[in-house]
Amino acid sequence: MKSLKYLPHFGLLALIIFLITDTPIIKETSSKIKSQLQKSEGSDSEGSHKEGSNGQNIPQEEKEKRMGIFHYNEGNKNFKAGRFDEAIINYRKALHHNKSFKEATINLSTAYMKNSNYDKALETLKIGMLLDSKNPDIHYNYACYYSLMGQTKRSLEMLKAAIHFGFNKLDQIEKDPDLQTLRQSPAFKNWSLNSSI
């Protein structure tokens, strides 16, 4: 019975002996676990991680598209908050990952205009036109650009093209501050009286 009072001490001593003698196994096991975690998580650098439900590798093209969408969404958040510099950075990152991302191109041109960087806005619109020459939003942004530049005739041409290709946000045409110069022009007033808008 007296030996029972030493039982907890023996248990502790046995655990210490086990840990001392078994340390290499613990180290080996922990490094195996670490390496498995690294394989499944990948590195912390952008776009280099593995994704997917079963830890399978995702093709690089798909990773690039996902990163493009991520930065596009971040750019939209920045834009809505009026942080146009940050929006521009994110839209450019989106286009870095996916050069044919039309929506990012359109929004980038708008962000440049909001930042009064008209040269970059025009350059971006030209790229957008190469990506999709029938996109109504690209034509609409061209109309905004030309209105801001005071070129009302060219602005109206691009606005008509936007509507021709399906731009149907007519309330936006009436309220968009970028189109103010165009709306004040006699050509626009005459056209709007004789058209369906």
Side-chain angles (χ1 to χ4, degrees):
M1 284 295 215
K2 286 183 180 180
S3 62
L4 284 179
K5 71 178 186 178
Y6 296 110
L7 190 58
H9 299 288
F10 287 130
L12 183 60
L13 184 62
L15 178 62
I16 292 169
I17 292 170
F18 171 77
L19 289 175
I20 291 170
T21 59
D22 206 36
T23 301
I25 294 171
I26 291 172
K27 283 183 181 173
E28 185 181 316
T29 305
S30 68
S31 40
K32 280 183 184 174
I33 291 169
K34 279 182 190 174
S35 105
Q36 286 175 347
L37 282 173
Q38 286 172 343
K39 282 180 188 173
S40 66
E41 293 173 0
S43 70
D44 290 336
S45 63
E46 181 181 77
S48 64
H49 56 284
K50 293 181 182 177
E51 301 177 49
S53 56
N54 299 327
Q56 75 272 19
N57 284 333
I58 291 178
Q60 187 62 29
E61 186 179 338
E62 182 62 26
K63 285 182 191 177
E64 294 294 329
K65 278 188 179 177
R66 290 182 185 194
M67 288 307 297
I69 291 167
F70 169 79
H71 286 297
Y72 172 74
N73 289 335
E74 289 299 302
N76 288 344
K77 287 179 199 171
N78 299 143
F79 190 93
K80 284 178 186 170
R83 297 190 305 267
F84 302 121
D85 285 333
E86 292 174 48
I88 287 167
I89 290 167
N90 275 297
Y91 291 140
R92 288 183 66 181
K93 285 182 179 179
L95 289 166
H96 169 76
H97 290 289
N98 182 357
K99 291 181 182 12
S100 61
F101 199 159
K102 288 183 278 193
E103 293 83 358
T105 305
I106 293 163
N107 290 6
L108 177 60
S109 70
T110 306
Y112 278 135
M113 283 188 267
K114 294 294 182 193
N115 245 14
S116 301
N117 192 339
Y118 302 115
D119 290 341
K120 285 286 189 183
L122 181 59
E123 184 182 309
T124 306
L125 285 168
K126 286 177 181 176
I127 293 167
M129 195 64 88
L130 290 173
L131 290 174
D132 185 0
S133 63
K134 295 182 180 180
N135 187 298
D137 293 317
I138 292 170
H139 286 85
Y140 180 82
N141 276 15
Y142 258 116
C144 291
Y145 168 80
Y146 285 120
S147 176
L148 289 166
M149 296 294 98
Q151 299 178 34
T152 55
K153 183 179 177 186
R154 191 78 178 108
S155 177
L156 185 56
E157 287 172 8
M158 296 309 282
L159 183 60
K160 288 177 182 178
I163 292 168
H164 171 75
F165 289 122
F167 189 86
N168 58 8
K169 302 170 194 162
L170 302 182
D171 57 330
Q172 187 174 338
I173 295 170
E174 294 297 331
K175 295 175 185 172
D176 193 332
D178 292 346
L179 291 178
Q180 183 176 351
T181 304
L182 173 63
R183 285 193 302 269
Q184 292 173 347
S185 71
F188 177 84
K189 289 175 182 175
N190 183 47
W191 173 72
S192 62
L193 283 173
N194 297 314
S195 70
S196 58
I197 79 156

